Amino acid sequence: MVARGEIARFWSLESLHLVSSDGGTEPSALVDDNGSEEDFSYEDLCQANPRYLQPGGEQLAINELISDGNVVCAEALWDHVTMDDQELGFKAGDVIQVLEASNKDWWWGRSEDKEAWFPASFVRLRVNQEELAENSSSTPSEEQDEEASQSRHRHGENKQQMRTNVIREIMDTERVYIKHLRDICEGYLRQCRKHTGMFTVAQLATIFGNIEDIYKFQRKFLKDLEKQYNKEEPHLSEIGSCFLQNQEGFAIYSEYCNNHPGACLELANLMKQGKYRHFFEACRLLQQMIDIAIDGFLLTPVQKICKYPLQLAELLKYTTQEHGDYSNVKAAYEAMKNVACLINERKRKLESIDKIARWQVSIVGWEGLDILDRSSELIHSGELTKITKQGKSQQRMFFLFDHQLVSCKKDLLRRDMLYYKGRLDMDEMELVDLGDGRDKDCNLSVKNAFKLVSRTTDEVYLFCAKKQEDKARWLQACADERRRVQEDQEMGMEISENQKKLAMLNAQKAGHGKSKGYNRCPVAPPHQSLHPIHQRHITMPTSVPQQQVFGLAEPKRKPSLFWHTFNRLTPFRK
């Protein structure tokens, strides 16, 4: 049975997964930038009961709590999008009640009114599982006033304990994370560099990215946290300023996260050969690392940058406005949320440019610059009637990207084939909504119409939609296009020329055979029959889906549904 006092100490997935697998008490020496070593004992690293650090110990602890009648909740780190009824779909930030955690990869849980399986790696167990309900009594009797006063006092003490739990989790996971980064740099990367016959410099750059820069940065960040950590009274610790002071430094995660899919692809190719599988396992054993494959280790920085906003949100929840750290924690939460959003946006842009490049390759008779020369995102698409100066009607398919509107014509026989017909520079256009009736400029009667007017040449482009709701969607899409262009400028969102060229090159290769481009997120593996949790024999999904979604509790943009129609209309030609 798990003691109540231990509940808060083992909720951190990082603390449970990233300490020594043998449950030993070896000190972990962390080398700082000056070459000195800071020793952290085993207890400093995890502050948890050792038996829960054994393989399977986390699941044992959670299941014991569940069977003891406790409600165990987890927060989603990323979106889990699924079309399988036997899987639980959720968005980042959603709260899932964990009902069964016997399997290390797939847990059974409830979200809203549905119970189903979900990947354990997509969630973070809450630090504080139980909270005292606030006293809401408003009866003015003396006895109840006294009870309310006592309740408020108890609640204040409880909130201090809750804040202590969150502070300790932040400190513990940060220390363990440093050990984890050191293991990657010294256990894997250093050994790989010694074997020049097995790895090229380019391969190591692809697999490990800028992990050494992250390691150096995180050591400095941990030193800042340690200075602000109040060991005697952790709830008084003021760590918000540490995040604010290092805000710009966290931007280095963008490069790593963007590089990660390529790292997974390179590793997968190497792991097809037995010598590489044996080599990486030997590195792990030599460094006395826990029993997690190298791809699991390399995923940790991606998880870490997504976890900071959740930790700070929970810390803010238990920080009163009178606390000296309140304003800094609040600002740190917004800052880290923005950092993670920026990384998420860059990641999404990279995925988007691959699809856009493939789309362009499928268009017959493309002229002029590549679409990626100026654009990186499809915003809206659909059919419109274009009215020429001579009053002629032309049915066209239009694709609205950031900065430009592309028009195509469908093939008369093969309606899924598109021919390039031109494009408009949206930076030079002004959108004008037209009412039904006669338009003075064109001297035509129009319905469901709008026009784009060039600011430089005063040329007018008139469009009509089939339905009023279609017109409304286009008007909204044009407004979204301007807003997103402005946001990208403010966020400094840029895709490098090399990345654009690589996307086009891969798209051209894909047009002549199997794609070697950007590795799309594979879907969850096919499942065997999944039985209800109350039955004795439970069949689990075979593996955790490697879906890399970098969304937060308040995603800036919702996933677009237009790609389905987009790809259907322009299949890749073979």
Side-chain angles (χ1 to χ4, degrees):
M1 190 67 65
V2 183
R4 294 278 183 179
E6 294 177 358
I7 291 177
R9 290 190 297 212
F10 64 80
W11 289 124
S12 166
L13 291 176
E14 287 177 318
S15 293
L16 289 163
H17 286 307
L18 305 181
V19 295
S20 172
S21 61
D22 60 3
T25 57
E26 278 188 37
S28 173
L30 308 181
V31 182
D32 63 21
D33 295 334
N34 298 321
S36 62
E37 293 188 350
E38 297 178 357
D39 292 331
F40 293 100
S41 68
Y42 182 75
E43 289 75 14
D44 288 336
L45 284 173
C46 60
Q47 292 187 4
N49 189 316
R51 81 185 188 91
Y52 297 117
L53 302 174
Q54 300 294 335
E58 177 193 340
Q59 286 73 40
L60 174 64
I62 296 171
N63 282 320
E64 283 190 2
L65 281 171
I66 294 171
S67 63
D68 192 31
N70 293 288
V71 176
V72 177
C73 294
E75 273 183 315
L77 283 172
W78 301 310
D79 294 352
H80 181 227
V81 182
T82 178
M83 297 181 69
D84 193 325
D85 289 339
Q86 298 180 85
E87 282 186 37
L88 191 65
F90 47 75
K91 292 186 176 296
D94 285 354
V95 177
I96 300 101
Q97 182 180 351
V98 183
L99 303 177
E100 173 72 30
S102 298
N103 182 276
K104 67 182 179 67
D105 294 328
W106 287 89
W107 292 351
W108 183 268
R110 178 189 298 125
S111 179
E112 296 180 347
D113 296 328
K114 182 178 179 180
E115 292 185 11
W117 297 107
F118 65 93
S121 63
F122 275 45
V123 302
R124 163 186 175 269
L125 290 171
R126 280 186 161 182
V127 179
N128 297 307
Q129 293 288 327
E130 298 182 12
E131 301 175 29
L132 292 178
E134 292 192 28
N135 190 300
S136 59
S137 174
S138 58
T139 307
S141 68
E142 292 183 4
E143 290 184 0
Q144 291 194 348
D145 282 347
E146 185 177 352
E147 290 178 1
S149 177
Q150 293 175 353
S151 176
R152 284 193 295 271
H153 179 71
R154 289 194 302 270
H155 179 69
E157 290 181 344
N158 182 66
K159 204 161 188 175
Q160 288 183 2
Q161 183 58 49
M162 297 295 193
R163 192 173 199 275
T164 293
N165 295 341
V166 180
I167 289 288
R168 282 177 175 166
E169 189 222 18
I170 291 174
M171 299 303 301
D172 294 342
T173 56
E174 206 63 38
R175 292 164 182 162
V176 173
Y177 181 48
I178 289 293
K179 180 183 182 300
H180 192 165
L181 292 174
R182 186 192 64 190
D183 285 343
I184 296 174
C185 293
E186 298 182 5
Y188 285 121
L189 182 54
R190 179 187 293 180
Q191 296 300 328
C192 290
R193 283 174 173 159
K194 294 178 181 178
H195 293 75
T196 55
M198 293 180 66
F199 302 95
T200 66
V201 174
Q203 279 180 316
L204 294 183
T206 299
I207 294 172
F208 295 98
N210 61 335
I211 191 71
E212 290 177 306
D213 294 334
I214 291 177
Y215 179 32
K216 180 179 179 180
F217 168 74
Q218 290 293 154
R219 290 204 308 268
K220 176 183 178 299
F221 178 62
L222 177 57
K223 290 167 97 176
D224 293 344
L225 286 177
E226 294 287 359
K227 291 176 183 177
Q228 298 298 116
Y229 180 50
N230 188 326
K231 295 181 179 179
E232 287 71 28
E233 297 181 282
H235 70 279
L236 297 179
S237 300
E238 299 184 4
I239 64 173
S241 59
C242 299
F243 288 90
L244 295 176
Q245 292 166 3
N246 291 277
Q247 179 181 353
E248 293 183 3
F250 284 108
I252 61 174
Y253 276 85
S254 180
E255 178 183 341
Y256 187 88
C257 292
N258 291 342
N259 181 74
H260 185 69
C264 293
L265 186 61
E266 185 69 32
L267 268 178
N269 291 332
L270 293 179
M271 288 298 192
K272 294 176 182 177
Q273 304 179 48
K275 69 174 183 178
Y276 286 100
R277 294 196 299 271
H278 296 316
F279 173 81
F280 285 124
E281 177 61 9
C283 289
R284 186 187 69 81
L285 295 173
L286 182 64
Q287 187 70 12
Q288 296 182 340
M289 300 160 72
I290 59 172
D291 190 10
I292 296 178
I294 183 174
D295 56 344
F297 278 96
L298 294 177
L299 178 62
T300 307
V302 178
Q303 294 174 319
K304 187 68 177 176
I305 199 65
C306 293
K307 192 171 291 186
Y308 280 130
L310 296 178
Q311 289 179 319
L312 288 168
E314 195 165 8
L315 180 60
L316 182 61
K317 181 178 179 181
Y318 300 110
T319 304
T320 63
Q321 294 188 15
E322 294 76 22
H323 196 289
D325 203 23
Y326 178 80
S327 59
N328 280 340
V329 171
K330 186 176 181 179
Y333 166 63
E334 293 296 333
M336 294 308 298
K337 191 168 63 170
N338 289 337
V339 167
C341 279
L342 179 60
I343 291 172
N344 182 47
E345 285 295 289
R346 283 178 174 160
K347 176 72 174 178
R348 194 175 59 81
K349 290 278 187 182
L350 284 177
E351 294 172 347
S352 180
I353 65 172
D354 178 73
K355 296 174 184 177
I356 292 174
R358 292 179 183 228
W359 172 81
Q360 180 186 316
V361 169
S362 74
I363 300 298
V364 180
W366 185 270
E367 296 178 2
L369 297 173
D370 290 335
I371 192 73
L372 293 180
D373 185 66
R374 299 190 61 209
S375 301
S376 59
E377 181 178 10
L378 174 69
I379 296 171
H380 188 59
S381 64
E383 284 191 87
L384 288 171
T385 300
K386 180 182 177 182
I387 310 297
T388 66
K389 293 179 180 179
Q390 295 75 27
K392 294 182 179 180
S393 299
Q394 298 176 338
Q395 288 293 116
R396 296 283 186 264
M397 275 296 302
F398 287 89
F399 300 87
L400 179 61
F401 299 87
D402 52 314
H403 298 288
Q404 51 190 326
L405 177 67
V406 178
S407 64
C408 299
K409 181 181 179 180
K410 289 184 178 180
D411 188 278
L412 293 176
L413 298 178
R414 290 191 55 184
R415 301 290 287 175
D416 59 350
M417 183 175 289
L418 296 177
Y419 297 87
Y420 178 81
K421 286 300 176 181
R423 68 182 105 182
L424 296 177
D425 184 348
M426 294 301 292
D427 293 346
E428 298 294 329
M429 295 297 161
E430 181 178 349
L431 176 67
V432 180
D433 184 9
L434 298 178
D436 293 346
R438 182 167 293 275
D439 178 62
K440 295 179 180 179
D441 294 332
C442 300
N443 197 29
L444 293 171
S445 292
V446 295
K447 186 177 182 179
N448 304 325
F450 63 93
K451 59 186 177 182
L452 295 173
V453 182
S454 172
R455 294 189 182 93
T456 56
T457 65
D458 293 329
E459 192 167 359
V460 177
Y461 303 89
L462 180 62
F463 306 93
C464 294
K466 290 182 179 180
K467 301 178 182 179
Q468 181 64 31
E469 50 265 36
D470 293 336
K471 171 188 171 180
R473 291 191 191 100
W474 274 103
L475 294 178
Q476 183 60 51
C478 289
D480 290 343
E481 185 270 339
R482 291 291 85 193
R483 176 177 55 81
R484 294 185 186 184
V485 167
Q486 183 178 355
E487 287 177 354
D488 288 348
Q489 291 174 346
E490 292 173 351
M491 297 171 68
M493 185 70 64
E494 292 183 0
I495 303 297
S496 71
E497 291 301 319
N498 287 337
Q499 289 169 324
K500 293 177 182 178
K501 290 178 181 178
L502 181 60
M504 288 305 304
L505 179 63
N506 287 340
Q508 291 162 1
K509 289 180 180 179
H512 298 86
K514 186 177 179 181
S515 169
K516 296 181 181 179
Y518 189 92
N519 186 28
R520 296 187 183 185
C521 303
V523 297
H527 297 168
Q528 302 173 16
S529 177
L530 299 184
H531 304 288
I533 200 69
H534 62 270
Q535 295 187 16
R536 185 170 183 181
H537 300 291
I538 302 169
T539 306
M540 295 289 177
T542 55
S543 64
V544 177
Q546 298 301 306
Q547 180 181 6
Q548 303 303 320
V549 183
F550 302 88
L552 295 177
E554 298 174 14
K556 201 165 190 181
R557 302 173 186 169
K558 295 181 179 179
S560 170
L561 298 176
F562 303 131
W563 283 114
H564 175 71
T565 304
F566 192 54
N567 290 330
R568 179 174 59 81
L569 288 169
T570 57
F572 306 137
R573 290 171 295 154
K574 296 183 180 179

